[in-house]
Amino acid sequence: MSQSRSIYKIASVLLSLFFLVCFLGYYPSVTFLSQTPLTMGITHTVLFEFQPDAKPEAIKLACDRFLALQTNCIHPTSKAAYITSLKGGRDNSPENLQGGLTHGFVVEFASADDRDYYVNTDPVHQAYKDSLAGVVKRAVVVDFTNGIY
């Protein structure tokens, strides 16, 4: 009788693990309980409205320098680039809801700590922001963690 209970317990555990693996395979965006907003990836979106008198060359340079942040921003601890993804471009939406914003960028970080370092401390990013004076009229920034509402 005790041997059949042991087999039943083992079968129950295996069945539970099977359903867990199937669930995580079906819902890949489900995060493990050990992940917190500080350790989960952060998406940092930036939208620019350039000054009306900004020259096209200055706008292109600002955009090129923004995209270069992915390789130029180096984490002080790891001594490696820490922006996991960066892309951007000129608006092409037909919805006419831009409100003057003409260029958008999406920056991804592995954690909120990396994003916080980038926003508050990284000297390369700080110098980039300072270089936008007189070129950018307005910037809008929205950050989020995927799936956290």
Side-chain angles (χ1 to χ4, degrees), residues 13-141:
V13 168
L14 290 174
L15 190 59
S16 296
L17 287 173
F18 173 76
F19 283 118
L20 178 63
V21 168
C22 289
F23 175 78
L24 290 176
Y26 187 73
Y27 296 103
S29 64
V30 173
T31 58
F32 292 99
L33 295 176
S34 64
Q35 287 187 310
T36 65
L38 289 179
T39 61
M40 294 170 63
I42 297 288
T43 301
H44 175 76
T45 60
V46 180
L47 305 174
F48 286 151
E49 175 182 2
F50 287 96
Q51 294 287 356
D53 61 346
K55 299 201 179 325
E57 300 82 24
I59 293 172
K60 182 170 180 352
L61 180 61
C63 294
D64 289 345
R65 290 186 64 230
F66 196 126
L67 295 173
L69 292 174
Q70 183 172 8
T71 55
N72 294 339
C73 288
I74 304 299
H75 197 278
T77 306
S78 69
K79 306 293 186 218
Y82 62 94
I83 294 173
T84 59
S85 173
L86 198 161
K87 56 188 163 190
R90 184 177 177 86
D91 170 66
N92 63 16
S93 173
E95 295 180 281
N96 294 320
L97 299 174
Q98 299 84 344
L101 300 164
T102 60
H103 292 71
F105 299 87
V106 179
V107 187
E108 293 183 354
F109 299 96
S111 68
D113 289 338
D114 286 350
R115 183 272 321 268
D116 293 348
Y117 173 75
Y118 171 83
V119 169
N120 298 315
T121 309
D122 189 307
V124 174
H125 179 241
Q126 300 305 316
Y128 173 72
K129 289 192 306 185
D130 292 344
S131 76
L132 298 176
V135 178
V136 171
K137 179 178 179 181
R138 176 172 63 119
V140 175
V141 177

